Amino acid sequence: MRRLRPLLIFGTRPEAIKMAPVVHECLRRADSIEPIVCLTGQHREMLAQVTDYFGLSADLDLALMQPNQTLAELTARCFQGIDSALARFNPDCVVAQGDTTTVMVAALAAFYRRLPFVHVEAGLRTGNLQAPWPEEMNRRVASIVTTVHCAPTTRSADNLRAEHVPEQQIFVTGNTVIDALLWAVERERAGAARWQDKYARLGNGRVVLITGHRRENFGQGFQDICRAIATLADQFPDVQFLYPVHLNPNVQEPVRALLGNKPNVHLTEPAPYPEFVWLMDRSTLILTDSGGVQEEAPSLHKPILVMRETTERPEALDAGAVELVGTNVERIVESVSRLLTDKQEYARRQLDVNPYGDGQAARRIVDIMLQQGWNQ
Ligand code: UD1
Ligand code: UDP
């Protein structure tokens, strides 16, 4: 039997973090698998931060990002670029992770060429097409044409069963984000002196780490998030609020305008992944609308306040680590204040076991790919 030739496609920061363990696992098993790596470049700087750290080299970089791109323009560029990559490499299957435009288009482009599609992080659902927007649509479309669904948890596998996906196409693998995190956190704890120097301005006190970029929060949502952070910064002058700001101009503009001049609010560029892992580990609690950060924080025993009304990751919510606070100013202020002042409540929100994975997801995913007989 010849080696399996999968085409692994990714384009944004979180996809690169979650695909890195899969690429590494393929390279570790080079006797049976020959991975081809294609970057869409939906992100530019934020993608490079991750590929550099994990030493991922691309066979093709489509370099598609344009400033302030619209979803339809980006989708059109992805279709052309990915289809030409499929024609050029003629892979045995296509693999992509999550719910971005890159993933939705990769799945459809594979379908049009009658190639099997492997969906990593399959089956996440809120049931609401408007939240997260447009990601709930992206992942549902991808699921329709997916051949092998790698669900991170039993809950996500159940979502697929409810949509009548055949049982033999569903596999529970864990989430590769935990594979990446466990690898990175060990390295960054060992090299912590470097980050302590860089972040000397945080001192030794408490830190609230903040991220936010969801499109459904653009406009009023971001203004309210910023007002809440400003109020908290005034109420807790001994707490440092560190916010690495996403490069999307719809985020940069309100955040820099509304939070730019508070002494204990630190706005920075997006942190390279190793640095961000250290910052999560250093933080007291995390205020975020990110999907990936919701999954990572329980491994570091950090409570998370999620600035959304709903989540496709209910496991940590049910376990008590996550609270949904939306973008309402009073709700955010009240919830962060409670965690900063009530030690028992804080302890109750720290998990011992991460429900999203055990660090072995990539190995399972590659095993499953090799079992399909696509290279016969
Ligand atoms: C995208 C994904 C979202 C994911 C997020 C992770 C879609 C529709 N959205 O949202 O699901 O959670 O990535 O961060 O797929 N930009 C830069 N440099 C970068 C990255 C972005 O300048 O490295 C700016 C550009 O102006 C770009 C804009 O941000 O046009 C938006 O990027 P885009 O990938 O379209 O959307 P995100 O909001 O990043
Ligand atoms: N992350 C990072 N630097 C930052 C913020 C986040 O490296 O400044 C990492 C984080 O550890 C997680 C991923 O990026 O693995 C989450 O990406 P993002 O929040 O952009 O997207 P989402 O997960 O919501 O799709």
Side-chain angles (χ1 to χ4, degrees):
M1 204 186 290
R2 64 172 174 77
R3 293 194 297 169
L4 181 73
R5 292 180 68 251
L7 184 73
L8 305 143
I9 302 187
F10 45 99
T12 67
R13 167 173 71 190
E15 293 161 64
I17 292 166
K18 291 171 171 182
M19 286 293 273
V22 181
V23 176
H24 285 176
E25 183 66 17
C26 289
L27 294 173
R28 209 176 60 75
R29 291 153 80 165
D31 51 337
S32 48
I33 194 156
E34 183 190 349
I36 307 155
V37 173
C38 170
L39 307 180
T40 61
Q42 174 176 336
H43 280 176
R44 189 178 298 149
E45 303 86 340
M46 287 163 57
L47 178 65
Q49 287 179 334
V50 182
T51 51
D52 289 353
Y53 180 62
F54 287 101
L56 302 176
S57 54
D59 296 281
L60 177 65
D61 183 354
L62 298 168
L64 295 180
M65 196 200 91
Q66 288 183 5
N68 216 358
Q69 57 207 359
T70 70
L71 293 173
E73 286 164 359
L74 172 66
T75 302
R77 290 198 299 277
C78 278
F79 263 115
Q80 284 201 314
I82 292 174
D83 192 50
S84 61
L86 297 184
R88 173 171 159 193
F89 292 108
N90 191 24
D92 295 319
C93 63
V94 176
V95 188
Q97 179 284 332
D99 52 22
T100 65
T101 299
T102 290
V103 178
M104 184 264 291
V105 176
L108 286 177
F111 177 75
Y112 289 144
R113 285 193 178 262
R114 296 189 173 274
L115 287 168
F117 181 71
V118 178
H119 192 199
V120 175
E121 197 183 278
L124 275 60
R125 297 288 185 270
T126 61
N128 178 355
L129 270 180
Q130 307 304 323
W133 182 88
E135 290 84 0
E136 178 80 359
M137 177 278 292
N138 285 341
R139 57 196 176 213
R140 284 205 223 173
V141 168
S143 290
I144 292 169
V145 295
T146 292
T147 319
V148 164
H149 303 255
C150 298
T153 65
T154 51
R155 295 275 285 266
S156 42
D158 286 344
N159 290 336
L160 294 165
R161 290 184 187 106
E163 291 171 14
H164 308 292
V165 173
E167 190 61 39
Q168 66 274 19
Q169 289 175 242
I170 303 173
F171 301 86
V172 177
T173 59
N175 196 310
T176 55
V177 78
I178 308 302
D179 303 25
L181 179 71
L182 297 182
W183 184 78
V185 79
E186 200 175 312
R187 284 170 53 133
E188 301 318 318
R189 278 179 184 158
R194 179 180 166 206
W195 305 127
Q196 275 153 1
D197 276 356
K198 178 163 181 184
Y199 286 97
R201 72 198 129 134
L202 297 178
N204 296 320
R206 293 181 297 174
V207 173
V208 175
L209 180 63
I210 303 159
T211 80
H213 71 278
R214 296 250 84 86
R215 280 169 198 263
E216 63 272 22
N217 289 344
F218 287 176
Q220 189 64 47
F222 266 95
Q223 287 180 19
D224 289 347
I225 288 169
C226 292
R227 280 176 47 218
I229 296 166
T231 307
L232 286 160
D234 289 340
Q235 278 178 13
F236 294 93
D238 60 325
V239 175
Q240 305 304 312
F241 294 80
L242 184 83
Y243 187 167
V245 188
H246 193 287
L247 291 181
N248 195 319
N250 298 291
V251 180
Q252 287 277 336
E253 282 158 26
V255 171
R256 295 205 178 268
L258 293 166
L259 292 174
N261 55 7
K262 292 258 166 214
N264 55 337
V265 177
H266 308 272
L267 304 181
T268 68
E269 294 296 302
Y273 177 65
E275 193 169 317
F276 190 76
V277 166
W278 181 81
L279 284 169
M280 285 196 287
D281 207 26
R282 165 71 182 82
S283 69
T284 309
L285 63 93
I286 304 175
L287 182 61
T288 188
D289 65 12
S290 164
V293 176
Q294 283 178 67
E295 294 157 344
E296 292 163 334
S299 284
L300 304 173
H301 316 295
K302 305 296 172 184
I304 325 140
L305 298 173
V306 176
M307 297 182 289
R308 296 173 48 180
E309 298 298 338
T310 175
T311 180
E312 60 290 271
R313 294 166 170 91
E315 294 84 353
L317 185 71
D318 291 351
V322 164
E323 179 185 346
L324 294 177
V325 294
T327 56
N328 178 277
V329 180
E330 288 73 32
R331 212 157 123 209
I332 296 174
V333 170
E334 191 193 313
S335 298
V336 173
S337 303
R338 187 175 337 115
L339 279 178
L340 288 175
T341 50
D342 183 339
K343 286 194 174 134
Q344 279 183 342
E345 177 65 10
Y346 185 89
R348 207 180 57 74
R349 304 274 196 96
Q350 295 177 291
L351 297 191
D352 291 329
V353 179
N354 189 316
Y356 299 110
D358 60 0
Q360 298 296 315
R363 185 183 52 72
R364 295 188 190 102
I365 290 165
V366 173
D367 279 345
I368 293 160
M369 280 161 53
L370 285 168
Q371 284 158 16
Q372 304 304 311
W374 292 326
N375 49 337
Q376 274 166 3

